[in-house]
Amino acid sequence: QSGDDHVGHGRLEEVDEASRRLLTPEKIRAIVRLLPDEWLANWSLDISAHDIREVYTQFLTTRLTQSQTIIKAAQHARQSLV
């Protein structure tokens, strides 16, 4: 397959940038708020649904801020295989 058949170096960065524009921390928080309590109830007897939502929000926001590091790792792994 040619390089055009894959999500290449520049394309990954384009998708990452677009995702970071769309998925702001505020939007992540709003989406996580939509999770029903019932979906979170079995995670822990000690942690409230509100606190679990905060953990999810923090995790997803951190992943968003670290996306460039993840992209670079993916590019490096791809180059190692080529």
Side-chain angles (χ1 to χ4, degrees), residues 10-67:
R11 183 74 178 129
L12 276 175
E13 290 171 344
E14 288 173 28
V15 171
D16 176 51
E17 185 177 323
S19 296
R20 285 186 284 119
R21 275 196 310 270
L22 292 172
L23 291 172
T24 64
E26 295 78 21
K27 285 185 182 174
I28 289 173
R29 182 171 300 282
I31 292 166
V32 171
R33 265 192 238 129
L34 296 173
L35 295 172
D37 286 353
E38 301 81 48
W39 289 10
L40 306 173
N42 293 328
W43 282 88
S44 172
L45 298 175
D46 300 347
I47 304 173
S48 70
H50 170 79
D51 290 342
I52 293 170
R53 283 187 189 89
E54 287 300 314
V55 170
Y56 269 119
T57 300
Q58 184 62 44
F59 172 78
L60 293 169
T61 302
T62 299
R63 289 295 295 236
L64 184 66
T65 62
Q66 298 296 322
S67 66

